[in-house]
Amino acid sequence: MGKVLESSLWRSSDFGTSYTKLTLQPGVTTVIDNFYICPTNKRKIVLLSSSLSDRDQSLFLSTDEGATFQKQLIPFSVETLIFHPKEEDKVLAYTKDGKLYVSSDLGKKWTLLRERVTKDHVFWAVSGVDADPDLVHMEAQDLGGGFRYVTCQIYNCSEKTLTAPFPGPIDQGSLTVQDNYIFFKATSTNRTKYYISYRRSEFVLMKLPKYALPKDLQVISTDESQVFVAVQEWYQTDTYNLYQSDPRGVRYALVLEDVRSSRQAEDSVVIDILEVRGVKGVFLANQKTNGKVVTLITYNKGRDWDRLRPPSTDMNGKPTNCEPPDCHLHLHLRWADNPYVSGTVHTKDTAPGLIMGAGNLGSQLVEYKEEMYITSDCGHTWRQVFEEEHHVLYLDHGGVIAAIKDTSIPLKILKFSVDEGLTWSTHNFTSTSVFVDGLLSEPGDETLVMTVFGHISFRSDWELVKVDFRPSFSRQCSEEDYGSWDLTDLKGDRCIMGQQRSFRKRKSTSWCIKGRSFTSALESRVCRCRESDFLCDYGFERSPSSESEANKCFASFWFNPLSPPDDCVLGQTYSSSLGYRKVVSNVCEGGVDPRQSPAQLQCPLMRPRGLQVSIRGEAVAVRPGEDVLFVVRQEKGDILTTKYQVDLGDGFKAVYMNLTLTEDPIRHRYESPGVYRVSVRAENVAGHDEAVLFVQVNSPLQALHLDVVPVVGVDQEVNLTAVLLPLNPKLTVFYWWIGHSLQPLLSLENSVTTRFADPGDVRVTVQAACGSSVLQDSTVVRVLDQFQVVALHFSKELDAHNPNTPEWREDIGLVVTRLLSKETSIPEELLVTVVKPGLPTLADLHVLLPPPRPTRKRSPTSDKRLTAIQQVLKAQKISFLLRGGVRVLVAMRDMDTGSQRLGGAGGYWAVAVLLVIGLFAVGVFILYKFKRKRPGRTVYAQMHNEKEQEMTSPVSHSQAVQSAIQGEEFIDDDLDSQTLGNHSGVVLSINSREMHSYLVS
C-alpha cells in the first residue's frame, strides 16, 4: 500500500565490521520517519518516529552516538528539524501544518514561535553577520493572505515582538538567507523586483543590466563576498545567463550567456554550472548555443572561459583523433537524485585538483555518451578511465579513488586507484552479485574504509559490505612522500586570481596513508597585476570583435560613464568611470591598473529629475479613513537645496526640505470618497520637476503604460492608447486626464482620440479600473506649431535584442537623437526619435523648429538640417553597439513609405510624389520672378507675426531644386494669401497640370 509498517535500527562502532540491532521500544512496532545528526556535535542524534498505536510522533534523543536513546513525546507532526549552526542543543521544528517550534534542550521542551510559515524558508542567525545568535529569519503568511519576511528572537517571539525588516509583501517561497546576504523577490503591477540586503543593511534592488528583464533568478554562489546568479531573461526558454556581483551584491555584470537549464520534479530548476571544490575561482558550465551544448571552464570566477582540452589517447592508448577547435571534451553536469551516489562530475574540498566526470569527445555534448574522464591538475590535462559512467568515492583525501559502474544489473566488482587514476585495480567486494544502491564513507573523506550497500533481489533485505583499504598501506606518509603540482590555466598561466598556488601531491611510488592531518595547500605567492586581473565595470561590456580590442571595455548603449552619480552633491567631486574593476577575491598587487587616474569632475548643481510620488505598498487606491503613506522619490538631481511643494488634493498643502533624503513618508487620511489629485513639485535654482498621482478613495490601485507619440501638431488628431496587462475588455473603465483638469474623460475602450488647441507641454494621465484594481500611467506630450518627420529603420540585428518595452524604446530613441545631434551639430533639443512598438524595429525622427527670431526673411535653416540628417544617414555614420559587440546601423526608410512628412495645422502633410515636389518648388520660383497672379490658382499662406512667413521644404528635392529654393530670400507679399484662424505653417495647393502650364509659359 506504499506505507512503511515497521523500521529496524542497526548500529556499528567498528567501521561496519559488525552491527547490533537496537530496540527503541520493546514490544512496540516503531517506524523511523527520519534521523538527524547534530552538525556541531556528532555524538548527538535525533530520531523522528511514529508508531501504529501512537497518535502523535515521538523523538528519540541520543547523546552518545546512538548507544542509548531517550523517548520524548511531541504534540505536533514534524516535517523537518533544523539544528542551530553553532549551538548543539538548539533546534527548530517545522510541522506539517506550517507551524514553527523551537527547543533549547535538544527536543525535550518546545515553544511555538509562529504559524503559517513557508516550508524550507526558515533560517537560523548567521554567525558573524547577525548580532543575535538566537534570531530566526522566516517567511510567513499574514492574516490578509500575503507573505512577509519577519524575524524574531526565540525567547521572545510574539505578534508584538516580530520585526519586519522589509515593509512590503514578498513572493511566496522567495526568501533566502545565505552567508552575508538575504534575497527575496516582490511582484506588483505584473512586474517582479529582486531585492538584496548585504550584512543586514537596508534592502535595495538588485541592479542587473537595464534590459535583462528576468523571468527567473537563481542564486548560484555567495562565496568570498560575491554573488553569482543565473538569470533567465525575457527571450530565453531552456538557458540562463550567469551574472557576477560587486561585494555588496547590488550591481551585476554578465560573465557567461546561455548556460543550459532543465526542469525537474516539483518545478525545480537545474542549471548546468558546477563550482569545482578545493580550488577557489574554478567553475564548469555547459553552454547551449544554436542547439549545441559545449562544456567550458573558468579559473578566474568567470572573467575568461575556455573549452576543455581533449586527451590525445583513449583508455586503451589508441589515438582519439580529437583536435581543437573542432573537437573538445564535454562533461555532463547533473546532480544525482540519490544522495548516496556521486553526480556525473565529482569534486571534493579535501582533494583539490581532482575532477572525475562523465562525458564524451566531439563537437558537442551527447546525452547518451557517458565515458569517464579524470584530471588531477584541475582541468589542465584529462585522461579517459572508463567507457561507461561510474559512481565515485574519494577516500583519504583522494589517495584512493573507488568506482562502481552505474548500471541496473547486479555487481560484485569495484575498481580502485591509488595513483589519481593513472592505473586501476579490481576488487571482488562480495561473493554474490548485489544491486548497488549507494556508497558510504565516514564524513570528511579522511578514512580508508567504505561501505557498499544494496540488495540481492527486490524482495531481499539490505546487504551492507565493508571495504577496508587500510591493509594495503603499511605506514603513514612523511614529507619525503610528497611532491607538488602548480595550478595553471589552459594557457599555462600560473598567476590565477592574482597569485601562484602550489599543492602537495603524493608521489606515485609512495604507498602510504595521508591521514587526518594532511593539508593539500603548499604555498602561494602574490603576482603583479595585469589586465587579465580586471573585468569590465558595471555598465560596460568587453568587445569580442578583434584580438586588438579583446580586452577593451565599451560603455553599453544605455550607459553614460561621464554622468555624475545619482548621489552626487554640489561642491563635491566624482570619478568618471574608465570601464574597469578588479575581479572580486583577486589579490594581485602593483603592476598594471587600468583604473588609474580617472578624471575627477566637479559635481554640478543638478535640477531634480525622475520625481515620483507613490503610496507605500505601491497601491494608488485607499479606503476612507485609512492611513495613507505617501512616498516621494527622486532618481537624480540635488536634494539638499531642493524644496518640495506637496498638494494632497483635499486642501492639505505643505513645503518640505530633504524630503527624498530622509525617505520619511507623508502620513495622511482621506475622510471622504472621491478622486484626489496629489502633486509634488521639486524645485531648486537649476530647475524643477513635478510628479502627479491621482488617488481614488475606495479601492487599491496599481499601474499601466500610456502609449502616445511625444510630439504632435496643434489641432492634430492624436490617438491615446492605454496598454493594459491583463486586458479585461468590457470590464475595465478608463479615466483620461488631459492637462490640469480634474474632470476625466471616461471610456470602455482602451483608446481615445483628442486634439490639442494650443502649443506647449501637456501632461496626459490615464487610469484603468477593473473592480478594486486600478492602474495608472502618465506622460507629457509636446504640442508644436511645426515640425518634420523622417522615417528611420535599423539593421535587422536589433530585432533580436528588442524586448518591446517602453523604456527600451525610449533609450534607443535617446541614443539615436544624441548620435544625430553630434554628427549634424543640430541641437539635441530640436530632435526627437520615437521608436515604434513591435517588430521590425522602426522609428520616426521628429525635427523641430528653433525658437522664432524677428526677421523678414525666410530662414533656410530647416532645409539645411534635413539635408545634414540625410547626408549622415546615407553615409552610414549613425550606429551603436549592443551587448556582445553587435553594431546596429540607422538608416532612412524607403521614400515611397513616406519617410519625410511635415507636421502642422492639419496634422501631417503627406508628400507622396517626388516629381510634384520638384515641380512645385520650380513653380514657386517662377511665381516670384514674374510676380503675376493667375485666376483659378489658389495659394494659401499663413503670415508669421502678420509680416514674415516661413516655408518648410522636404529633404527629397533634387540638388537643383534645393538650390533654387535656398536662393529665395522671401516670398513676395503680393501673393494671394489667406490667414486660416490660428493655424500656422505654409499650405500651398497646386496640381501638376497647372504647374505644367506655368513651366510652359
Side-chain angles (χ1 to χ4, degrees):
M1 296 174 62
K3 183 178 181 180
V4 177
L5 301 179
E6 183 179 4
S7 300
S8 58
L9 180 64
W10 300 77
R11 180 177 183 269
S12 173
S13 57
D14 54 7
F15 292 97
T17 302
S18 61
Y19 285 85
T20 302
K21 185 176 182 179
L22 302 181
T23 304
L24 295 176
Q25 301 182 89
V28 179
T29 301
T30 302
V31 176
I32 299 175
D33 300 316
N34 213 331
F35 69 93
Y36 302 86
I37 301 175
C38 177
T40 56
N41 185 350
K42 301 298 178 63
R43 298 179 60 83
K44 296 186 176 182
I45 301 171
V46 178
L47 300 181
L48 177 62
S49 75
S50 59
S51 66
L52 299 179
S53 59
D54 288 342
R55 182 176 179 181
D56 297 319
Q57 287 182 315
S58 301
L59 298 180
F60 287 89
L61 313 176
S62 174
T63 59
D64 53 9
E65 295 183 302
T68 60
F69 284 91
Q70 177 184 355
K71 182 179 179 180
Q72 184 68 46
L73 291 176
I74 50 176
F76 46 80
S77 181
V78 175
E79 178 84 12
T80 186
L81 297 180
I82 308 169
F83 276 95
H84 194 284
K86 295 293 183 181
E87 301 184 34
E88 58 193 52
D89 288 334
K90 293 178 181 177
V91 61
L92 296 171
Y94 180 82
T95 69
K96 294 181 180 179
D97 56 355
K99 296 178 181 179
L100 186 66
Y101 291 83
V102 65
S103 173
S104 300
D105 53 8
L106 199 65
K108 296 176 182 177
K109 296 179 182 178
W110 294 92
T111 302
L112 176 64
L113 289 182
R114 179 76 178 176
E115 298 182 359
R116 301 183 303 276
V117 177
T118 306
K119 180 184 177 182
D120 298 330
H121 293 277
V122 177
F123 309 90
W124 278 107
V126 177
S127 177
V129 181
D130 289 293
D132 186 352
D134 294 325
L135 192 72
V136 177
H137 305 265
M138 68 187 87
E139 179 187 298
Q141 190 175 25
D142 58 26
L143 295 177
F147 290 85
R148 304 272 175 170
Y149 162 44
V150 295
T151 63
C152 73
Q153 212 268 358
I154 61 173
Y155 297 114
N156 185 22
C157 189
S158 65
E159 288 292 338
K160 294 182 179 180
T161 58
L162 278 177
T163 301
F166 183 76
I170 69 174
D171 288 5
Q172 181 181 4
S174 66
L175 178 68
T176 299
V177 178
Q178 193 167 313
D179 296 330
N180 290 326
Y181 308 94
I182 300 177
F183 307 86
F184 63 77
K185 63 180 180 177
T187 301
S188 63
T189 66
N190 299 316
R191 183 175 182 180
T192 299
K193 298 179 180 179
Y194 295 86
Y195 290 86
I196 190 169
S197 168
Y198 173 69
R199 297 190 66 84
R200 310 309 182 253
S201 59
E202 181 183 5
F203 281 96
V204 295
L205 287 173
M206 299 171 68
K207 295 181 180 179
L208 295 165
K210 194 165 188 179
Y211 299 110
L213 302 179
K215 294 192 296 185
D216 185 38
L217 184 147
Q218 302 286 332
V219 178
I220 301 298
S221 170
T222 55
D223 291 345
E224 297 182 297
S225 295
Q226 185 174 47
V227 181
F228 269 70
V229 294
V231 177
Q232 188 169 59
E233 302 191 25
W234 59 274
Y235 60 89
Q236 295 176 307
T237 55
D238 58 354
T239 58
Y240 280 67
N241 290 342
L242 184 63
Y243 288 88
Q244 181 187 76
S245 79
D246 62 2
R248 298 184 65 86
V250 177
R251 297 187 300 168
Y252 290 79
L254 180 69
V255 293
L256 185 63
E257 291 185 282
D258 297 321
V259 179
R260 185 175 71 165
S261 66
S262 58
R263 290 279 174 181
Q264 302 295 314
E266 299 181 357
D267 207 33
S268 62
V269 179
V270 175
I271 301 169
D272 278 19
I273 183 166
L274 178 75
E275 183 173 7
V276 176
R277 296 166 63 181
V279 183
K280 293 294 185 182
V282 183
F283 288 81
L284 292 167
N286 280 335
Q287 185 181 53
K288 184 176 182 180
T289 54
N290 299 322
K292 296 175 61 175
V293 177
V294 298
T295 301
L296 305 174
I297 189 170
T298 178
Y299 292 88
N300 50 16
K301 299 194 77 170
R303 185 196 186 278
D304 302 290
W305 295 85
D306 294 292
R307 297 192 180 188
L308 299 181
R309 286 180 178 170
S312 57
T313 59
D314 63 14
M315 59 181 292
N316 299 315
K318 296 181 180 179
T320 59
N321 298 319
C322 181
E323 296 290 338
D326 300 321
C327 184
H328 293 85
L329 172 62
H330 310 283
L331 299 176
H332 299 280
L333 303 179
R334 294 193 304 266
W335 297 100
D337 295 330
N338 181 353
Y340 301 108
V341 297
S342 62
T344 54
V345 173
H346 192 54
T347 67
K348 282 289 184 181
D349 290 322
T350 54
L354 195 60
I355 309 173
M356 194 166 177
N360 63 273
L361 303 180
S363 61
Q364 61 180 310
L365 184 66
V366 180
E367 290 301 321
Y368 59 85
K369 285 189 176 182
E370 295 180 332
E371 304 157 349
M372 295 296 293
Y373 294 85
I374 192 171
T375 175
S376 57
D377 53 13
C378 204
H380 193 267
T381 57
W382 294 84
R383 303 182 301 274
Q384 184 188 7
V385 290
F386 307 126
E387 293 180 340
E388 297 173 288
E389 184 181 359
H390 283 60
H391 300 309
V392 178
L393 196 63
Y394 294 166
L395 304 173
D396 189 30
H397 304 272
V400 174
I401 306 173
I404 292 184
K405 185 185 296 185
D406 179 14
T407 179
S408 58
I409 63 174
L411 302 170
K412 56 181 177 181
I413 294 177
L414 65 79
K415 303 169 186 175
F416 67 96
S417 173
V418 295
D419 53 10
E420 298 181 330
L422 285 173
T423 59
W424 292 85
S425 304
T426 60
H427 171 66
N428 287 347
F429 63 89
T430 179
S431 58
T432 305
S433 296
V434 176
F435 292 96
V436 176
D437 294 300
L439 309 176
L440 290 174
S441 68
E442 185 177 346
D445 300 326
E446 297 93 353
T447 181
L448 280 167
V449 180
M450 63 176 288
T451 298
V452 182
F453 72 92
H455 53 279
I456 297 176
S457 69
F458 291 106
R459 294 179 178 271
S460 68
D461 293 332
W462 290 109
E463 296 285 332
L464 288 89
V465 182
K466 173 186 175 182
V467 182
D468 191 347
F469 291 95
R470 289 177 297 180
S472 301
F473 302 94
S474 59
R475 61 184 177 86
Q476 292 283 331
C477 294
S478 62
E479 280 299 320
E480 290 75 20
D481 295 306
Y482 296 109
S484 65
W485 66 275
D486 299 326
L487 177 65
T488 66
D489 62 15
L490 298 189
K491 298 180 178 64
D493 188 359
R494 286 197 60 197
C495 283
I496 298 175
M497 298 297 288
Q499 61 180 324
Q500 295 180 354
R501 285 176 282 180
S502 298
F503 297 87
R504 281 188 178 86
K505 182 177 184 178
R506 190 179 65 189
K507 297 176 181 178
S508 58
T509 56
S510 296
W511 280 63
C512 57
I513 301 174
K514 297 180 181 179
R516 294 179 181 270
S517 60
F518 173 76
T519 56
S520 58
L522 182 60
E523 63 178 3
S524 63
R525 185 171 65 87
V526 175
C527 301
R528 293 178 63 83
C529 293
R530 303 168 299 176
E531 280 197 1
S532 59
D533 295 309
F534 295 85
L535 277 169
C536 289
D537 205 354
Y538 309 98
F540 290 80
E541 295 170 6
R542 191 158 40 144
S543 173
S545 56
S546 65
E547 287 294 329
S548 62
E549 296 184 343
N551 288 319
K552 290 185 178 180
C553 297
F554 295 90
S556 300
F557 72 91
W558 50 266
F559 177 72
N560 183 2
L562 296 180
S563 296
D566 295 346
D567 57 354
C568 199
V569 178
L570 181 65
Q572 297 182 358
T573 60
Y574 68 96
S575 298
S576 62
S577 175
L578 298 181
Y580 292 91
R581 61 184 172 88
K582 197 173 183 180
V583 177
V584 175
S585 303
N586 189 298
V587 297
C588 70
E589 297 176 355
V592 174
D593 190 348
R595 304 169 301 172
Q596 287 180 349
S597 303
Q600 295 295 316
L601 304 177
Q602 193 75 22
C603 287
L605 175 62
M606 297 185 294
R607 70 175 181 88
R609 288 183 292 165
L611 190 67
Q612 300 174 0
V613 57
S614 62
I615 295 176
R616 177 168 288 181
E618 301 195 15
V620 285
V622 297
R623 297 179 179 87
E626 179 182 352
D627 280 344
V628 183
L629 298 179
F630 289 102
V631 178
V632 180
R633 295 184 177 91
Q634 180 179 308
E635 292 183 355
K636 295 183 179 180
D638 191 75
I639 295 176
L640 296 178
T641 64
T642 302
K643 63 179 181 180
Y644 301 86
Q645 303 174 30
V646 178
D647 184 348
L648 299 184
D650 64 346
F652 176 89
K653 297 181 180 180
V655 178
Y656 297 86
M657 296 296 293
N658 300 329
L659 180 61
T660 59
L661 178 64
T662 61
E663 295 187 354
D664 291 333
I666 301 173
R667 185 181 298 272
H668 190 67
R669 181 178 296 175
Y670 292 98
E671 300 298 337
S672 303
V675 178
Y676 298 88
R677 184 181 189 271
V678 177
S679 64
V680 179
R681 179 183 175 90
E683 187 172 10
N684 59 27
V685 177
H688 70 274
D689 195 10
E690 185 179 1
V692 176
L693 177 69
F694 286 89
V695 179
Q696 291 189 8
V697 182
N698 53 23
S699 60
L701 298 176
Q702 301 177 29
L704 84 144
H705 172 61
L706 175 59
D707 193 3
V708 58
V709 291
V711 179
V712 299
V714 173
D715 205 35
Q716 173 190 334
E717 187 172 87
V718 181
N719 186 27
L720 310 177
T721 302
V723 181
L724 179 65
L725 290 175
L727 185 62
N728 296 308
K730 307 303 180 184
L731 297 177
T732 304
V733 179
F734 294 87
Y735 302 80
W736 306 87
W737 286 272
I738 300 175
H740 293 285
S741 174
L742 287 176
Q743 298 298 322
L745 300 174
L746 271 66
S747 70
L748 293 177
E749 301 296 331
N750 69 326
S751 64
V752 297
T753 58
T754 188
R755 296 175 185 269
F756 302 100
D758 300 314
D761 289 350
V762 180
R763 178 174 292 277
V764 179
T765 302
V766 62
Q767 285 186 354
C770 181
S772 61
S773 179
V774 181
L775 313 175
Q776 173 180 311
D777 196 13
S778 182
T779 189
V780 174
V781 179
R782 301 178 68 180
V783 184
L784 303 176
D785 287 329
Q786 279 193 342
F787 59 93
Q788 293 175 300
V789 180
V790 179
L792 305 176
H793 73 95
F794 304 85
S795 49
K796 62 182 181 179
E797 289 81 2
L798 184 59
D799 290 349
H801 297 265
N802 183 351
N804 200 25
T805 62
E807 192 176 18
W808 183 88
R809 294 194 295 268
E810 180 182 354
D811 278 351
I812 293 294
L814 288 174
V815 170
V816 175
T817 296
R818 290 169 183 167
L819 291 173
L820 283 169
S821 176
K822 179 180 178 181
E823 289 292 333
T824 63
S825 299
I826 299 173
E828 192 172 321
E829 59 268 22
L830 300 184
L831 300 175
V832 179
T833 306
V834 181
V835 180
K836 298 184 175 183
L839 296 175
T841 310
L842 303 174
D844 283 340
L845 171 66
H846 297 71
V847 185
L848 312 185
L849 294 180
R853 299 176 181 175
T855 178
R856 287 193 49 82
K857 295 185 178 182
R858 180 181 63 83
S859 171
T861 305
S862 176
D863 289 337
K864 292 181 179 179
R865 290 200 308 269
L866 292 173
T867 301
I869 291 171
Q870 183 184 34
Q871 288 175 349
V872 298
L873 290 172
K874 286 185 177 180
Q876 299 186 353
K877 293 184 177 181
I878 308 301
S879 64
F880 53 89
L881 282 174
L882 297 176
R883 177 195 296 170
V886 177
R887 183 167 294 279
V888 176
L889 181 67
V890 186
M892 291 191 299
R893 296 210 295 276
D894 293 338
M895 302 301 294
D896 55 6
T897 63
S899 60
Q900 292 105 28
R901 302 189 299 274
L902 294 171
Y908 291 114
W909 294 346
V911 183
V913 183
L914 294 178
L915 177 61
V916 174
I917 300 174
L919 295 177
F920 163 64
V922 176
V924 173
F925 181 79
I926 295 172
L927 285 173
Y928 168 72
K929 288 298 183 182
F930 291 94
K931 291 187 179 180
R932 62 178 182 177
K933 300 179 182 178
R934 295 292 299 268
R937 279 73 174 174
T938 305
V939 179
Y940 301 94
Q942 165 69 33
M943 305 304 294
H944 185 69
N945 290 333
E946 303 296 335
K947 292 184 178 180
E948 74 167 352
Q949 51 188 340
E950 177 173 326
M951 182 171 69
T952 306
S953 302
V955 184
S956 56
H957 291 55
S958 66
Q959 187 65 37
V961 176
Q962 286 185 18
S963 300
I965 291 184
Q966 291 172 4
E968 288 296 303
E969 295 294 326
F970 56 88
I971 297 179
D972 195 299
D973 290 344
D974 291 339
L975 289 174
D976 288 337
S977 63
Q978 179 178 344
T979 301
L980 305 178
N982 290 326
H983 299 180
S984 62
V986 179
V987 183
L988 295 158
S989 175
I990 185 165
N991 61 44
S992 59
R993 182 174 297 179
E994 292 172 330
M995 181 63 74
H996 179 71
S997 301
Y998 279 114
L999 293 176
V1000 172
S1001 62

